[in-house]
Amino acid sequence: MSIAPRPGGGLTHATVRHDTVHGRVEVAWRITDRRMSVEATIPDGTEAKVVLPLHPGSLVVDVTGGTHSWRYDLPDGHGSRPEYTLDTPLRTLAEDPAVWHALSQVFTRHFPGIPIDGTAPEAAGVSLNTVLGYLPGASDELKADFSAALARGEGTR
């Protein structure tokens, strides 16, 4: 079997249990104080390839039945993100799911029914300030909502 947890989206821990024909498999991971812990229990008589998430050396280990655990420091820079501004290109903002979700809510509130595509080729050269420049009489409320969305998205990681 293959065990490859994928932390992200603001989650700091997860646990899964699955009953197989050979017995129960359990996997848990947790990020605490810049350290990752991973625990895996697999049934006797089975083998698993474990991909340790966020491991600085991209470690992959083969294990046999039993309970196994790993603890290691997260790589430098993990959890940090660039500081987004109203001048950050839409494509860059769209690559960050938390920020893009917050911005999409602003677009939906102010421009219902008008889609915004941060992955379009032209999004690489368009910022929120550019969008504001194309809107005659863009309100201070819209600009404040964009700024608040950038801050909310940053707070979710």
Side-chain angles (χ1 to χ4, degrees):
M1 68 190 84
S2 176
I3 297 172
R6 299 202 41 182
L11 293 177
T12 59
H13 65 279
T15 301
V16 65
R17 292 173 191 84
H18 180 71
D19 291 321
T20 72
V21 295
H22 300 285
R24 179 169 280 189
V25 176
E26 295 184 46
V27 178
W29 63 266
R30 177 173 298 278
I31 297 173
T32 308
D33 297 326
R34 308 243 343 111
R35 289 189 51 82
M36 171 65 79
S37 63
V38 178
E39 295 183 12
T41 301
I42 62 170
D44 289 333
T46 65
E47 298 176 353
K49 180 178 296 273
V50 181
V51 178
L52 294 172
L54 306 173
H55 191 280
S58 301
L59 188 61
V60 177
V61 292
D62 294 314
V63 297
T64 57
T67 299
H68 309 274
S69 61
W70 301 267
R71 286 172 180 53
Y72 47 91
D73 292 331
L74 293 171
D76 289 339
H78 172 73
S80 63
R81 65 163 24 136
E83 194 170 310
Y84 300 124
T85 70
L86 295 175
D87 291 317
T88 303
L90 291 179
R91 177 172 288 160
T92 301
L93 298 173
E95 291 170 353
D96 186 317
V99 169
W100 193 249
H101 176 73
L103 285 171
S104 294
Q105 290 176 326
V106 173
F107 277 102
T108 298
R109 180 171 161 233
H110 287 274
F111 311 107
I114 299 175
I116 182 77
D117 183 1
T119 62
E122 56 276 3
V126 175
S127 69
L128 294 170
N129 267 334
T130 304
V131 170
L132 289 168
Y134 285 121
L135 299 171
S139 69
D140 289 337
E141 179 187 7
L142 176 58
K143 185 174 182 177
D145 285 353
F146 280 153
S147 295
L150 294 176
R152 270 196 320 274
E154 289 178 2
T156 61
R157 267 224 184 187

